[in-house]
Structures are given as C-alpha cells and as structure tokens.
Amino acid sequence: MIELTVDGRAVVVHDEDASLLDVVREQVGCRSVKDGCSPQGQCGCCTVLVDGAPRVSCVTPARRVHGRAITTTEGLDPAVAARWAAAFVDAGASQCGFCTPGIVLRLAALADRRAVVDEAAIRTALGAHLCRCTGWQSIVAAAARVLGTAGPAGDEPVQDAAVGAAPDRDPLFVQWRAQLEGPAFQVSDAAVVLGAGGFADDTAPVGALVALADADGAYAVGGDLPAARRQSAKVQGRRSTLGLRHPLAVPDGDWAVRLATTWVEPAYLEPDASWCLPGGRAASPLANGGAFGGKRASPVGDEARRLADEHDRAVRALWSRERVVRAGPKRPPVAAGVRADGTGVLRVATTPGAADLQPWVARVAETAPGLEVEVVTVDGPPVAPWLRATGWAEAAVLLAGARCAAAGTVGPGTPVEVTSPAGGRARVVVAADGSVEAAVWAGEALDPVTLRSYCFGAIHQALGWVWSEGLSVDDAGVVQDLTIRSFGILTARETPEMDVVLHSDDTWPVNGSDAVFAATAAAAWVAGGLAPTWPTGRPERTAR
Ligand code: FES
Ligand code: FES
C-alpha cells in the first residue's frame, strides 16, 4: 500500500506497480488529470504537482512518491485556480481543453518557483507539453497576463490581466465560432480549463470494465485500467529511425512547381475513447472538440457497445496512443506537377480499406478545376477525406505556388491569399525567420478571442505540415513512428511569432481558420523557395 496526500486528502492506494497517473485517475478518481499518451511520457497531459513541482505522472511509479503531496487542478488554491482559468478563457488559450489542466499546473508551479518569468521561460516550461489546437500563442499570452510579463508580440488582451472579471463575451457566440472552426460542439469555460471538459473517459461509470486497444487493435479487458494494461500486448511507443517516405512520384511534365508530401498524423491529444452500457448508446469520442475531423468516423463507440453487450457490463473502450497512430485517419500523401496557368496533375494516395476519397477529389475540382486528379492505391495507414481543409488546401497551395513561381515572387515576405470553399479569406505572409502575419475575413467575428485562437492553431498546424510533420511508414505500409513526439509537431519554442488581424464585418459568419491554414502552408512553401518535398525543415531562426 502507498500513502499519499492528494489535493489535501490523505489516501491509501494499492501499489501493483501502478504509475502515479493510474493511481490518481483510477484509484483516487481525479479525472482532471488526462492520459494522452501513457506510458510514453511525451504529451504532458498527465502532469501533476508533487510537493509543488511538476511531474509527468504516467512515467512516475506511484511507490516513488510514497508519503508525498500530490496536487491536481482540483486541489489548487481556489483563488489561484480561478486566476489561471480566467486568464486561459480570456486569451482563448483552451480549445478542446485536453492538454490544458497539465499546462495550468506547470505554469502555476513556474509562477511559484521563479521570481522573474519572461516569455522565453514560459515557452521553455511548455516544452514538456503538446497542444494541437491553440498554436501556443494564446497559452503564452494567458501565462504572461497572470505572471505580469510581456506577452507575445501581437497579443491583444481582451482586458488586462487583473484576470477575474470576465470580459464582455457572449458564450453562445463563443460556441458558435468554435463550432464553425472546429468543426464540432465545444465549450471553452473555466471548468474546461481546469479539466472538466466532458471527455468520454471522464464520464464513464465507476466500476465499468476497461478495454484497452493495443497497436494492432486487439482489446485487453480488465476489471480496471492497470489490469487491462497488464494484459495488453506491449507494443510500446517508439520513434523509428526509418526516414520519411513519399509514396507517390510527381508525374513527368514541364511544371512550374512540383510537390510530394507524406502521411500526416492529425495528432489530436485525446486518444479515441468511449464507454457504453449493454444495449445502450455509446459516449461520443468527439467530447469537447472534433479533432479537426480526425475522430469523425472513429469506430471506438461501436467497439464500446460491442464489448458492453459481450460482457453484459458497462465497458470503457480506450485506444492506446499506439493504436491511434496505427489506425486513426491520416492526411493522404500527394504528388503533383502544376503549370503557371493552374493546370496540371495531382496524385493522391489511398490505402487498402481506407475511406472513399471522393469528397477530397470533389473539393480539389471546386478549387482548382484545371487539376486532373489521380487516386493511386499504395500500402500505408488509413487515409481520410474529412481532415481539415480536405483536398482544397492542397489545391490552393499548388495554385498559389505556381502563381508565385510564374510571377517570380518566390521567397520570404511574399503575401499569399486564399479563399476557402466556405467563403473565409486569409492573406498570410511568412518572413525569413518564420514569423507569420495573417489577415482574416470570416464574416462577423462573433467572438474575436475564439476566432484568433483558432487562427493561431491553424498557423501552427500549417507550419508543421510544411516544415516538420510526417509519419515514417515502412515498405509494407506499417507505421513505425508510434510516439506522439515523433510526428514533428512544433513545440512552443519552435513556433515562431504570429500576428493575426481579424477583419470582422456584418456578413454571415463562416469558417476562417481553414483559409488561414491553407494560406499559411502556401506562404511558408513560397517563403522557403517552393521545395519539392514536404516536410522541408524549419527556417533556422525559428527556435527561441
Ligand atoms: S499521458 Fe503522460 S505524458 Fe502523455
Ligand atoms: S486545447 Fe490543447 S490540445 Fe486541444
């Protein structure tokens, strides 16, 4: 038995070689502590404070902290918790909210331990975390406001960091804007920041069986999560030394631009999860966000229902991070050659058993009617046609690149403008040091904080797509990169400065961040000289 104090309460828990994460979440019941990648120790979602110092709990054996004081967001001083929650809400620093409680704890500890905290210290502290939604800038802004230091350039506080009084924002407009951008229902309030985002695995009934899917999709079922873990086949997360492959060749031709991309992981932080009662309706894995389309067709709900019926008990169905990587949908690789007049050939990879790419092809035809699309079957992880800006972003990038090549305006500082099929418009410039300026037109902003947050996130995702992201897949089509750090997501320090200017008008609100995503990818590609393969590598001066 292990004795701990958790959020001020003395508890005695079973050792069973359990991690601190499993003890706190499963035995003590603190659901604000999230499991994004355990036992990889790479996402930071499971961060707790041990005697006031941040610790990644999924790689901390519980017995090592015997007798110590554990603090989660549920046990923070209420005034401190309220201050951080308000800062995050005011800055739009939390979208799905899955990464947020761990980040809040890390930053709160930073505030306690360092007399002087500047932006660099904040970004360094965030190095232990990943966030897929926000692009870091709004998180750094929230931290700067609480810590009383200068925030990122371009930060426009809705109100001063005397955080506490909520700015004049309409929650319905916040949700409406999030739903346009997500696209999924989303709440961004103090409760979400502190860990009550309503994620499927947080709402499961106590005593439910736990079914954990390994990398190959086999479920190990146990009376609780540690038991399921013990039975689960160990295909531990790993970062492969295998290089990235570009499975499609650019067709022969006299092209103004050529481009080949590889598989890209959506990399949402909350692994697919659901629970179900026998004969019941499964909890939605979409929870508080749509993972930018990544979970739209997740089978985990059906799997929870099947397992619940099979065992005649409530069952929590959880995918390990390795399972998400192997079976979750990827952005399909492309290879294209495009002439200056916008005609050309765009090849897109599909994989055996993957979803029909027809919606992807249709979006390309709408955006770039001069491109002939060839769908080519290759071995690889499943691809999907419903990920962010599906198909049309690739088409818009290629057209913008061909235009710039023809005009001789290739290089840093070239503005690229893109209009999405939804009618959102963005003009983006990427400078030599990687910093980004974006102007956005998306009808009535509804809630500028939310729209800007999504635009920052879109810039971050687009820069990752062009510069650093990809999955290594072997010749048999099996994904070899199985850790969440191996996908090339830009860290807080690697993410350059961003400035987003919103042009709100009185027209009907439309999605704006997807236009920002496509325009940023195009502008980064143009700024880097239209390299023929992605990822291209980061400009040297982006780290800070
Ligand atoms: S769950 Fe522990 S670091 Fe990801
Ligand atoms: S808010 Fe950070 S991962 Fe969604």
Side-chain angles (χ1 to χ4, degrees):
M1 306 303 281
I2 299 169
E3 292 172 13
L4 302 170
T5 303
V6 179
D7 293 335
R9 188 159 56 98
V11 296
V12 179
V13 295
H14 301 283
D15 181 343
E16 295 174 337
D17 290 332
S19 68
L20 180 58
L21 169 63
D22 280 353
V23 160
V24 169
R25 244 188 99 82
E26 303 296 318
Q27 294 193 44
V28 182
C30 292
R31 296 287 164 94
S32 61
V33 185
K34 309 301 182 197
D35 179 352
C37 72
S38 72
Q40 295 179 3
Q42 294 197 348
C43 73
C45 295
C46 65
T47 298
V48 299
L49 303 182
V50 176
D51 290 342
R55 281 280 265 277
V56 175
S57 66
C58 72
V59 288
T60 303
R63 73 169 68 103
R64 198 175 296 162
V65 294
H66 174 77
R68 316 271 293 270
I70 314 300
T71 307
T72 74
T73 51
E74 297 163 64
L76 279 177
D77 177 300
V80 172
R83 188 171 170 79
W84 279 102
F88 268 62
V89 171
D90 291 356
S94 179
Q95 291 181 22
C96 79
F98 197 78
C99 69
T100 318
I103 288 175
V104 165
L105 288 168
R106 170 94 43 193
L107 293 173
L110 185 68
D112 279 351
R113 291 178 165 236
R114 296 259 307 250
V116 180
V117 179
D118 57 11
E119 184 183 339
I122 294 168
R123 287 186 184 269
T124 300
L126 291 172
H129 297 262
L130 289 175
C131 173
R132 189 51 155 174
C133 302
T134 65
W136 300 115
Q137 179 125 334
S138 49
I139 294 176
V140 176
R145 292 179 203 180
V146 172
L147 300 169
T149 188
D155 178 35
E156 292 161 18
V158 171
Q159 75 167 42
D160 193 282
V163 180
D168 187 18
R169 295 168 68 193
D170 184 332
L172 284 179
F173 279 7
V174 173
Q175 282 174 29
W176 185 358
R177 179 47 75 184
Q179 182 132 5
L180 282 170
E181 306 299 326
F185 177 78
Q186 190 168 83
V187 176
S188 303
D189 61 13
V192 172
V193 171
L194 297 176
F199 302 102
D201 194 45
D202 296 350
T203 57
V206 174
L209 292 177
V210 181
L212 182 63
D214 68 16
D216 297 322
Y219 273 103
V221 181
D224 55 22
L225 184 54
R229 278 201 214 288
R230 281 193 296 274
Q231 290 176 45
S232 179
K234 293 271 181 291
V235 182
Q236 195 85 341
R238 61 175 174 239
R239 179 173 198 150
S240 165
T241 51
L242 200 65
L244 297 178
R245 262 192 324 121
H246 297 82
L248 301 179
V250 175
D252 290 335
D254 188 14
W255 310 120
V257 288
R258 297 159 185 273
L259 178 64
T261 67
T262 187
W263 288 274
V264 176
E265 166 65 39
Y268 42 82
L269 266 285
E270 182 206 6
D272 300 51
S274 180
W275 63 268
C276 196
L277 296 169
R281 189 163 163 198
S284 168
L286 287 180
N288 197 40
F292 305 100
K295 288 183 184 166
R296 184 168 138 174
S298 174
V300 72
D302 290 344
E303 291 167 358
R305 168 67 196 263
R306 175 179 58 75
L307 289 160
D309 289 349
E310 215 172 279
H311 292 271
D312 200 24
R313 285 265 303 270
V315 173
R316 294 158 58 190
L318 309 175
W319 280 17
S320 63
R321 175 54 58 185
E322 292 84 355
R323 179 66 184 155
V324 178
V325 184
R326 282 265 169 89
K330 314 299 171 223
R331 193 167 200 99
V334 300
V338 181
R339 301 180 191 90
D341 65 359
T343 61
V345 178
L346 171 56
R347 290 179 174 158
V348 59
T350 189
T351 46
D356 185 0
L357 287 187
Q358 191 47 43
W360 196 99
V361 175
R363 282 302 202 193
V364 172
E366 206 177 316
T367 304
L371 290 183
E372 181 190 329
V373 180
E374 296 176 3
V375 180
V376 182
T377 303
V378 300
D379 287 327
V383 295
W386 46 69
L387 300 173
R388 172 173 234 163
T390 191
W392 71 262
E394 281 83 349
V397 162
L398 288 162
L399 292 186
R403 265 197 316 271
C404 291
T409 55
V410 175
T414 306
V416 174
E417 189 163 315
V418 167
T419 301
S420 74
R425 184 159 61 94
R427 186 187 303 135
V428 175
V429 178
V430 175
D433 64 359
S435 59
V436 178
E437 285 178 18
V440 188
W441 294 260
E444 186 183 345
L446 300 175
D447 182 69
V449 172
T450 302
L451 180 53
R452 286 184 87 226
S453 173
Y454 270 89
C455 292
F456 289 137
I459 292 169
H460 176 258
Q461 275 190 28
L463 294 179
W465 184 26
V466 178
W467 291 347
S468 56
E469 291 190 33
L471 275 176
S472 67
V473 174
D474 66 18
D475 290 341
V478 179
V479 177
Q480 295 300 311
D481 277 340
L482 296 179
T483 65
I484 197 162
R485 289 268 165 175
S486 57
F487 314 149
I489 299 170
L490 295 170
T491 65
R493 285 186 54 134
E494 291 167 337
T495 302
E497 267 179 36
M498 308 171 186
D499 190 16
V500 170
V501 176
L502 303 178
H503 295 269
S504 183
D505 56 38
D506 58 3
T507 60
W508 190 254
V510 295
N511 175 297
S513 56
D514 285 358
V516 172
F517 174 75
T520 302
W525 189 37
V526 170
L530 297 173
T533 55
W534 290 4
T536 61
R538 288 185 290 124
E540 265 170 28
R541 287 189 291 151
T542 47
R544 51 197 175 138

